Amino acid sequence: MNSESPPGTNRKDRKGNGVGRILTAILIFQLGIGAMLVLGDVQLGRLSLPGLGPDAPRLTEPVRPGDQRRTYTPERDRPPTQPARDPGQLPERLMLTQIDGATYRLEGAVAEGDGARVKKLLAEATPTPETLVLQSPGGSVQDALELGRHLRDREIGTQMLAGEFCLSACPYILAGGATRDIDDGAQVGVHQHYFGQSSILPASFAVEDIQAGQGEVMVYLNDMGIDPMVMTHALATPPDEIYVLLPEQLREYNFVTQED
């Protein structure tokens, strides 16, 4: 029997295999979380995931292949901005400001309710936004997903400038851009999310909630044309750390729009 695939199916098969691999990785991760939750019930009702030591590198230090995890506290840690502009203290929620013509800057933390609020700001902006330049330490995953879907529906592009950063939930907004232009000098970073919890995975936090949250993110990334395999890095990085994606990874996972 001829085992060769019909012409034109290889790309689809590879995408399906990639989704299958990430789903398997997520299942293994969630089973591990379930075991740790049981342990956490015994040990003071709280669990800790493996992390970096006290001398771990910070975001201000250069990122190299194989050395991409950094400690991360949004209020304290940010990548170096030189020689690019220093934004100073970022707003506690997303702010929309015009840069030039139909290009706007969307900057600040992603606060709860920002999805609906920023959608309203975009609708009221004149001229109609065509590109959003992003800089954010992250925040609410649900609002980032809501806003990312809106950007794709409105065919608004996203852009990252040299020396600027898009971390935690921000890459989901970035992924929503109809076009995505990321300078090699920008930093895009991912990690595990709280999904509404204020502490790191307390024992009362149900495994079903983790599955639902990660499942929603998986569907979103697939819909946006991003390779879901990027989630392997997010799932392996605790919420108090960040995994910085290299420029070649951003292209590999299709965060950067490829020209025809």
Side-chain angles (χ1 to χ4, degrees):
M1 178 181 292
N2 190 347
S3 60
E4 294 185 1
S5 302
T9 63
N10 289 342
R11 184 175 181 180
K12 182 177 180 182
D13 289 344
R14 285 196 300 269
K15 184 176 181 180
N17 290 338
V19 173
R21 290 195 301 273
I22 189 64
L23 286 174
T24 300
I26 287 176
L27 176 60
I28 294 171
F29 169 77
Q30 290 169 342
L31 288 173
I33 288 294
M36 294 174 77
L37 284 172
V38 174
L39 179 62
D41 279 330
V42 176
Q43 297 180 346
L44 302 180
R46 189 176 294 274
L47 67 89
S48 296
L49 297 177
L52 300 174
D55 298 326
R58 304 178 69 116
L59 272 170
T60 52
E61 300 180 35
V63 174
R64 301 179 179 85
D67 177 31
Q68 293 159 251
R69 280 174 57 181
R70 295 290 182 269
T71 58
Y72 183 58
T73 302
E75 299 81 10
R76 181 194 65 196
D77 299 317
R78 64 171 58 179
T81 57
Q82 299 300 326
R85 76 182 254 282
D86 186 344
Q89 183 67 37
L90 289 177
E92 294 182 356
R93 63 190 318 170
L94 290 172
M95 302 298 293
L96 183 71
T97 56
Q98 186 179 18
I99 296 178
D100 181 41
T103 299
Y104 291 74
R105 176 177 289 280
L106 188 64
E107 187 170 62
V110 187
E112 290 188 16
D114 270 357
R117 188 178 65 84
V118 173
K119 281 161 46 175
K120 186 173 185 293
L121 293 176
L122 292 171
E124 295 172 347
T126 303
T128 300
E130 296 179 0
T131 302
L132 295 182
V133 177
L134 302 178
Q135 179 152 249
S136 172
S140 168
V141 175
Q142 292 297 336
D143 287 274
L145 297 180
E146 178 183 356
L147 185 52
R149 288 194 181 278
H150 181 73
L151 297 185
R152 185 61 60 91
D153 290 342
R154 290 282 299 274
E155 298 184 348
I156 298 174
T158 52
Q159 185 177 4
M160 290 290 306
L161 302 181
E164 301 196 349
F165 54 91
C166 180
L167 308 173
S168 186
C170 177
Y172 303 136
I173 302 176
L174 177 64
T179 59
R180 300 173 297 281
D181 181 13
I182 306 173
D183 190 278
D184 282 356
Q187 282 203 359
V188 178
V190 297
H191 63 179
Q192 298 164 9
H193 297 294
Y194 297 122
F195 291 106
Q197 298 297 310
S198 59
S199 59
I200 300 176
L201 295 174
S204 59
F205 190 70
V207 176
E208 300 89 80
D209 291 336
I210 301 174
Q211 292 173 328
Q214 297 292 359
E216 184 176 0
V217 169
M218 286 281 299
V219 170
Y220 172 81
L221 291 174
N222 190 59
D223 289 347
M224 296 300 106
I226 305 298
D227 188 344
M229 284 298 289
V230 70
M231 289 299 292
T232 59
H233 305 297
L235 291 173
T237 306
D240 59 346
E241 299 172 14
I242 204 80
Y243 179 94
V244 180
L245 294 162
L246 299 172
E248 53 266 34
Q249 290 176 307
L250 291 169
R251 289 186 283 271
E252 175 187 353
Y253 296 128
N254 206 33
F255 272 94
V256 178
T257 304
Q258 304 293 329
E259 296 183 1
D260 295 333

